[in-house]
Amino acid sequence: MCRKRFIVIGLDDNREQHFSPDELRHIAKGNVFSGGLRHREIVSPYLPADYEWINITVPLDKVFEQYQAYNEIVVFASGDPLFFGFANTIIKKLPEAEIILYPTFNSLQMLAHRLLLPYQDMHIVSLTGRPWAAFDAALIEGQRLIGLLTDREKTPAAIARRMLEYGYNNYRITVGELLGNKEEESVRKLTLKEATQKTFRFPNCILLERTSLHPRPFGIPDSEFHLLNGRTKMITKMAVRLATLSMLNLQSKEVFWDIGFCTGSVSIEAKLQFPHLQVFSFEQRKEGEELMEKNSRKFGTPGIEVFIGDFLDTDISSLPRPNAVFIGGHGGKLFEIMQKIKEVLLPEGTVVFNSVSAESKEMFLHAAQQTGLKLNGQIALTVDEFNTIEIIKAIN
């Protein structure tokens, strides 16, 4: 069987492409070409007569089904096809295929060039068909220079709105539109507020330059949180909160569930200190949703997913399995909660419980034993005039 061969050629948005002699030779010899509709518009004057075109659209599986009929395909892609590009998809789906690659500058490189901006330290995030998570993490980490690839939903205006919603007004934004198109490209420097009110031509990309540091405290004072009816007892105290996070060992975890979040203090502190985490927070009280909304915006922690209602009745089938769980509230149903957690907890996953009484401690120890979790540590803390809290850790 003949090994499949792809000639992958990177393009910018210039309607007059400057192909190398090797690229022109491959195009002249080619019969089957592939790319997006925009790529076809750009390269059609260079293609031989009676060429066949395979349009790259989702779902990509159907595109690769069409590829099966041919031994050699010339593919046109944007910029550097290995930079969040289609060459990566070919490598993933057809690892045995031969690939000859001709990259050009990607859009973020071109935007940096237009600004004469050294970009060796740029933190790059693609939002093209992707969730907000990597961008949220970059904001929390306070990356100095962030390069963003956008799409038709995560536009510069939508990105600026999200930043301002969570208090990240410490960046200036530059938007590059149709870069490489000599007649139509533009580069606009804007404030974030200005960007929320503009429309932008597609394709575009963004550079965010940090102008000041955003507060990222290690240990948020309890008094800074919006509280449930102002009740200071309804929050995990800062010292206990930080000790709890330490017991959870979150730096090596990916998915964290906070059950009984109330004010959201543990979820927010976890997201601030470990921005890579996927955080899923559960609370029975309806008031918890508003508290989490206010507190997560106040402290700049986008991306926390909230579920309101009895945890035991919550459908968790579509959620990623956790490898870290904190139980902050149980409503007398600790054993049932532990059973439900055990069904999805990943191997070596950690469960931490804060016991406020000898009775609740005994309930957790019994539930851990019955569900097959292994006790792995315990700390007792007394904060001010409050009762001693025992932080108990169990491993799956």
Side-chain angles (χ1 to χ4, degrees), residues 72-296:
E72 182 169 298
I73 303 165
V74 178
V75 177
F76 296 100
S78 297
D80 181 348
L82 285 176
F83 181 78
F84 298 100
F86 194 68
N88 298 322
T89 307
I90 298 173
I91 292 169
K92 181 179 178 181
K93 289 186 174 292
L94 299 173
E96 300 302 318
E98 178 186 1
I99 297 175
I100 298 176
L101 186 69
Y102 296 95
T104 189
F105 291 121
N106 65 60
S107 59
L108 288 172
Q109 287 177 309
M110 287 194 287
L111 184 52
H113 295 163
R114 302 298 186 268
L115 300 172
L116 296 180
L117 180 68
Y119 61 89
Q120 63 268 14
D121 297 326
M122 185 190 301
H123 183 91
I124 297 166
V125 175
S126 175
L127 290 174
T128 307
R130 291 172 168 86
W132 290 105
F135 177 54
D136 293 342
L139 288 179
I140 296 170
E141 291 165 354
Q143 297 290 341
R144 184 188 64 82
L145 181 64
I146 303 174
L148 293 175
L149 302 175
T150 65
D151 64 18
R152 295 186 184 275
E153 292 183 358
K154 293 183 175 64
T155 63
I159 290 164
R161 281 194 294 270
R162 186 175 182 86
M163 294 176 69
L164 292 176
E165 182 181 357
Y166 285 91
Y168 288 96
N169 58 353
N170 60 322
Y171 285 87
R172 57 172 170 258
I173 184 171
T174 304
V175 182
E177 303 165 86
L178 302 175
L179 294 176
N181 186 324
K182 293 180 179 178
E183 292 76 27
E184 298 189 38
E185 81 163 37
S186 68
V187 174
R188 287 192 269 177
K189 291 187 175 184
L190 303 161
T191 66
L192 290 173
K193 185 175 181 180
E194 287 171 340
T196 66
Q197 300 164 354
K198 303 286 186 182
T199 56
F200 299 89
R201 292 169 300 161
F202 192 82
N204 56 64
C205 62
I206 291 172
L207 282 179
L208 295 171
E209 296 175 79
R210 193 185 69 206
T211 56
S212 62
L213 289 174
H214 186 276
R216 188 184 172 192
F218 177 70
I220 303 170
D222 303 335
S223 59
E224 294 294 312
F225 285 95
H226 295 281
L227 301 174
L228 180 64
N229 300 323
R231 296 158 64 185
T232 57
K233 290 186 177 181
M234 299 299 289
I235 184 173
T236 303
K237 301 298 178 289
M238 181 175 67
V240 177
R241 194 186 318 139
L242 296 180
T244 297
L245 296 179
S246 175
M247 293 280 275
L248 284 162
N249 195 29
L250 293 175
Q251 66 268 24
S252 62
K253 304 296 194 297
E254 295 82 36
V255 179
F256 171 53
W257 288 11
D258 180 6
I259 300 173
F261 67 76
C262 193
T263 62
S265 63
V266 172
S267 294
I268 288 167
E269 198 85 67
K271 189 70 174 176
L272 272 181
Q273 302 310 323
F274 308 99
H276 70 280
L277 277 180
Q278 295 183 67
V279 180
F280 299 87
S281 304
F282 305 84
E283 174 56 51
Q284 185 161 336
R285 302 177 188 87
K286 292 181 179 180
E287 301 93 327
E289 186 168 22
E290 183 180 355
L291 283 173
M292 180 68 87
E293 183 176 327
K294 287 181 177 179
N295 285 323
S296 62

Side-chain angles (χ1 to χ4, degrees), residues 297-330:
R297 281 155 180 75
K298 181 175 183 179
F299 299 111
T301 52
I304 298 172
E305 294 200 36
V306 171
F307 300 84
I308 300 299
D310 191 327
F311 176 74
L312 295 175
D313 297 329
T314 301
D315 181 7
I316 59 174
S317 59
S318 63
L319 301 183
R321 295 172 63 187
N323 48 11
V325 178
F326 170 63
I327 303 175
H330 56 84

Side-chain angles (χ1 to χ4, degrees), residues 54-73:
I54 299 174
N55 199 37
I56 297 177
T57 58
V58 292
L60 292 178
D61 286 343
K62 291 187 177 180
V63 176
F64 280 84
E65 286 176 9
Q66 296 178 70
Y67 287 170
Q68 289 178 3
Y70 307 99
N71 290 327
E72 182 169 298
I73 303 165

